[in-house]
Amino acid sequence: MENSIERHSEQLSNVAAKLDAAEQSALTDPLTRLGNRRAFELAQSSSELLAATPSLALIDLDHFKDVNDALGHVVGDAALRMFAAELVGLLPKNALAFRTGGEEFVVLYPALDRRQAAAEIARFAKHLEAHNPLQMYPSPPLAFSAGVAGPAGDTGSIADLYAIADGRLYEAKRSGRGCVITGTDLEKDAAPEGLNQARTAIAGTLEAETVLAARLAEGQRRISPLVRRLARSAPNQRTDLIAQILAAIGEHCGADRAYIFRFESPHVMTNTH
């Protein structure tokens, strides 16, 4: 009988351990191992946090979709994991970090007022310049914008502070990204030079891509009618039409000549220019 009770007690302990593990897993973001949105919501009712209103920073990575599009989701996921690790590595005592969305993070600072929390975020931004998750790739460094809310200026529950920080984050994004906005006057803290350079590089890349797309669309508009005529033409008309197409391509590209290659058999290739 005693052995049966011990065995049953051990089984109950195993079940309890599994339940604890499952509960922990339900509160953890599987990619970064930070707390997830549910964990953040539970933290809002924590007696330790409610004892003194914490400051809150809402962080959003800038142009992260471009990272995924240019380098792939595997690199993007690795960048998120490294970003989270660097963020946690610099957290002051008792601060908590959560990943609440794709590239959105929340940090709670129980012992800091708004200004002190903003200083911590600025310190992290500076640290990220030297420990950037994308430094081994041909890409602008990972940058972020943030909105900060907290005591000594802001009042309300953690949910209220989140809403205030969210409004400031929106203003940071609208102001050009790569900055931290901390107060109701929407003052813009100076971003580290590296983040400003990253913002400029990304903006330049996007502008260049927009110009290139417009040029390609214009080129297609000019060439398409000639290509359609070429497809319907008789053999004795093709040389002249090819010459017209090449001339149009050269004019559009600002070149003095253009080449078009024709495969006339599996083994022979000729070109006209």
Side-chain angles (χ1 to χ4, degrees):
M1 179 71 70
E2 233 176 87
N3 289 339
S4 297
I5 292 174
E6 287 178 5
R7 193 163 51 247
H8 183 66
S9 177
E10 185 178 345
Q11 288 173 343
L12 287 176
S13 296
N14 290 338
V15 169
K18 288 179 180 177
L19 288 174
D20 288 344
E23 185 175 353
Q24 182 65 31
S25 177
L27 298 175
T28 303
D29 172 53
L31 180 64
T32 62
R33 310 305 299 166
L34 299 181
N36 58 19
R37 180 171 285 278
R38 184 172 175 230
F40 172 58
E41 290 168 353
L42 288 176
Q44 295 180 42
S45 59
S46 165
S47 57
E48 290 183 18
L49 289 173
L50 294 177
T53 304
S55 289
L56 181 150
L58 182 56
I59 298 170
D60 191 81
L61 301 183
D62 293 333
H63 300 293
F64 194 70
K65 182 180 182 299
D66 294 339
V67 174
N68 281 328
D69 290 346
L71 302 177
H73 286 273
V74 172
V75 173
D77 286 352
L80 286 172
R81 283 193 295 270
M82 288 186 278
F83 178 87
E86 297 296 342
L87 176 62
V88 170
L90 258 69
L91 288 181
K93 185 179 179 181
N94 297 328
L96 299 171
F98 308 85
R99 182 187 177 210
T100 53
E103 57 263 23
E104 180 184 281
F105 299 81
V106 174
V107 183
L108 291 175
Y109 298 99
L112 305 183
D113 64 23
R114 185 184 64 186
R115 292 284 182 180
Q116 292 169 327
E120 287 295 323
I121 291 296
R123 184 168 74 96
F124 172 61
K126 188 68 176 176
H127 171 84
L128 197 64
E129 287 188 78
H131 302 83
N132 203 279
L134 296 177
Q135 59 189 351
M136 68 288 290
Y137 298 101
S139 168
L142 203 61
F144 66 85
S145 299
V148 180
D154 303 314
T155 58
S157 65
I158 294 177
D160 294 330
L161 294 179
Y162 180 90
I164 294 169
D166 187 47
R168 291 171 184 164
L169 173 61
Y170 174 79
E171 187 64 27
K173 293 286 190 182
R174 199 176 67 172
S175 299
R177 305 176 189 249
C179 64
V180 181
I181 289 185
T182 62
T184 51
D185 57 347
L186 297 178
E187 73 264 20
K188 183 176 175 181
D189 296 339
E193 185 59 29
L195 296 184
N196 287 328
Q197 291 172 356
R199 188 167 69 244
T200 301
I202 291 171
T205 299
L206 293 176
E207 182 179 358
E209 289 177 352
T210 301
V211 171
L212 177 59
R215 290 282 292 164
L216 290 173
E218 174 63 17
Q220 185 176 20
R221 186 188 67 79
R222 291 188 184 188
I223 305 304
S224 291
L226 292 172
V227 172
R228 286 194 293 269
R229 284 177 57 193
L230 179 64
R232 297 191 299 265
S233 65
N236 62 346
Q237 298 174 314
R238 288 173 186 166
T239 299
D240 183 55
L241 282 169
I242 288 172
Q244 291 181 48
I245 291 172
L246 292 173
I249 293 172
E251 179 185 357
H252 181 63
C253 296
D256 60 357
R257 68 177 62 190
Y259 292 85
I260 221 171
F261 292 91
R262 301 190 311 237
F263 288 90
E264 297 183 345
S265 78
H267 307 292
V268 179
M269 182 177 74
T270 63
N271 68 81
T272 304
H273 67 278

